[in-house]
Amino acid sequence: MALELTLVGIMTLPSYFASAAGGSRKLKSIFAMKEEDTETGAASVPTDDITLKDVTFGYQETTVIDHVSVVIPKGKVTAVIGPNGSGKSTLIKLIDRLYPAEGGDLRIGEADASDVSLKAWRSQFAVVSQNTAVFAGTIRSNICYGAAEPVSEEALRRAVRLANLEEVVASRQGGLDYEVGVKGAGLSGGEQQRVAIARALLKDPQVLILDEATANLDAKTEAEVKKGLNELMKGRTVIEIAHNYAAIRDADYVVVLDQGRLADSGSPGEMEERCAFYRQMTRQI
Ligand SMILES: Nc1ncnc2c1ncn2[C@@H]1O[C@H](COP(=O)(O)OP(=O)(O)OP(=O)(O)O)[C@@H](O)[C@H]1O
Ligand SMILES: [Mg+2]
């Protein structure tokens, strides 16, 4: 009976059953998901460099991240670049432990990921991407979503100000209690992104992940979002999946991926000098 119930539980998991092929790797992922325990392990992590050593991962039988070893420096902006499908988003999902790596080590400072609870680890990361997860509800509830503790009015106002959302809030009936519709209806894309930025500011993470955060925005909107982003980036480790040359050139450090392998890593200047693949990529964008 217990087995039956467990299987029913597993069957409700999306995507993993979308394709019929069953490989050991896929089964391992399913059981890892079923058993996800967010509480066991150390309840805190130091603020430090993120180290990947020999990290390997695949969704199915194909290896998507192939023995990657790299150090992402604390408090700096690291740009991750590589062609479509080279594993940029996957690498980030391994770093914030959305997926468990199959091999290798992941550490923040001296803290090994396997010794730290998922809850504590994930509390250190916030993601701002092109697809912001704004849901039906008030602007207030959208901003406070996921906050560990009750949010004071003062903290909320500060996040709104730093995210460059004050005018948006003031222009809506009810202000922070304005009801956003399904899929963010009632807020433009750029406004939704600023809501996501305010949410991340409240979370106050050690690491900020930007995945095409300002893609598809017109110049004026991009400037409005950037203002909020710059506030959010201050004093944090930033990992940015960068698609334009300016972002890559302005980064402190670059990680170059090629078909799941680390092609090279270093400062933009070093990459320009010694990494032919980097030169080839940056000439194309
Ligand atoms: N959930 C998934 N299930 C199965 N395969 C996946 C999944 N997500 C990504 N992949 C595959 O893994 C590989 C790496 O994908 P990933 O999204 O990490 O690449 P990327 O570098 O971020 O690409 P892009 O520039 O297009 O965003 C690709 O071959 C992709 O098809
Ligand atoms: Mg991607």
Side-chain angles (χ1 to χ4, degrees), residues 15 59-60 64 82-91 93 99 211-212 241 243 257:
S15 77
Y59 293 96
Q60 274 111 37
V64 170
N84 294 125
S86 57
K88 303 181 294 295
S89 298
T90 304
L91 187 73
K93 285 174 188 159
Y99 291 113
D211 192 345
E212 298 194 65
I241 297 188
H243 289 266
L257 285 182

Side-chain angles (χ1 to χ4, degrees), residues 83-106:
N84 294 125
S86 57
K88 303 181 294 295
S89 298
T90 304
L91 187 73
I92 279 168
K93 285 174 188 159
L94 295 178
I95 293 174
D96 67 9
R97 291 176 66 194
L98 230 55
Y99 291 113
E102 282 160 15
D105 297 321
L106 170 64

Side-chain angles (χ1 to χ4, degrees), residues 203-224:
K203 193 175 179 188
D204 192 20
Q206 171 179 172
V207 185
L208 173 64
I209 291 167
L210 306 176
D211 192 345
E212 298 194 65
T214 55
N216 298 334
L217 299 180
D218 61 57
K220 181 172 172 283
T221 312
E222 183 176 349
E224 285 163 356

Side-chain angles (χ1 to χ4, degrees), residues 35-259:
E35 287 164 7
E36 186 173 276
D37 159 10
T38 59
E39 301 285 342
T40 307
S44 67
V45 236
T47 303
D48 212 328
D49 297 345
I50 300 169
T51 305
L52 289 87
K53 202 169 155 220
D54 236 3
V55 169
T56 297
F57 178 80
Y59 293 96
Q60 274 111 37
E61 289 306 300
T62 332
T63 297
V64 170
I65 296 296
D66 194 358
H67 298 281
V68 168
S69 298
V70 71
V71 177
I72 294 173
K74 167 190 144 187
K76 307 269 189 215
V77 177
T78 294
V80 179
I81 72 165
N84 294 125
S86 57
K88 303 181 294 295
S89 298
T90 304
L91 187 73
I92 279 168
K93 285 174 188 159
L94 295 178
I95 293 174
D96 67 9
R97 291 176 66 194
L98 230 55
Y99 291 113
E102 282 160 15
D105 297 321
L106 170 64
R107 291 199 316 265
I108 297 183
E110 293 302 309
D112 196 299
S114 56
D115 297 330
V116 177
S117 78
L118 272 177
K119 189 175 166 190
W121 192 275
R122 288 179 186 160
S123 73
Q124 300 293 312
F125 295 82
V127 182
V128 178
S129 72
Q130 210 176 339
N131 317 307
T132 62
V134 173
F135 50 81
T138 61
I139 296 181
R140 180 194 303 272
S141 61
N142 266 285
I143 295 175
C144 295
Y145 177 75
E149 288 157 18
V151 177
S152 71
E153 202 61 22
E154 192 192 344
L156 183 59
R157 295 277 163 198
R158 179 177 176 273
V160 165
R161 180 168 48 80
L162 293 179
N164 197 23
L165 255 182
E166 264 175 333
E167 273 181 35
V168 176
V169 170
S171 70
R172 296 304 197 280
Q173 190 148 28
L176 282 169
D177 295 316
Y178 173 76
E179 289 280 344
V180 183
V182 176
K183 289 190 183 159
L187 294 178
S188 71
E191 289 166 352
Q192 291 181 39
Q193 284 203 304
R194 282 180 273 165
V195 168
I197 290 168
R199 188 188 291 162
L201 279 161
L202 277 184
K203 193 175 179 188
D204 192 20
Q206 171 179 172
V207 185
L208 173 64
I209 291 167
L210 306 176
D211 192 345
E212 298 194 65
T214 55
N216 298 334
L217 299 180
D218 61 57
K220 181 172 172 283
T221 312
E222 183 176 349
E224 285 163 356
V225 172
K226 275 254 170 79
K227 217 169 143 188
L229 267 185
N230 288 340
E231 287 296 332
L232 180 58
M233 288 164 75
K234 276 185 192 161
R236 302 183 204 278
T237 303
V238 178
I239 309 175
E240 175 175 25
I241 297 188
H243 289 266
N244 65 71
Y245 187 58
I248 300 167
R249 192 198 48 213
D250 291 346
D252 300 299
Y253 199 71
V254 187
V255 171
V256 188
L257 285 182
D258 179 15
Q259 294 180 41

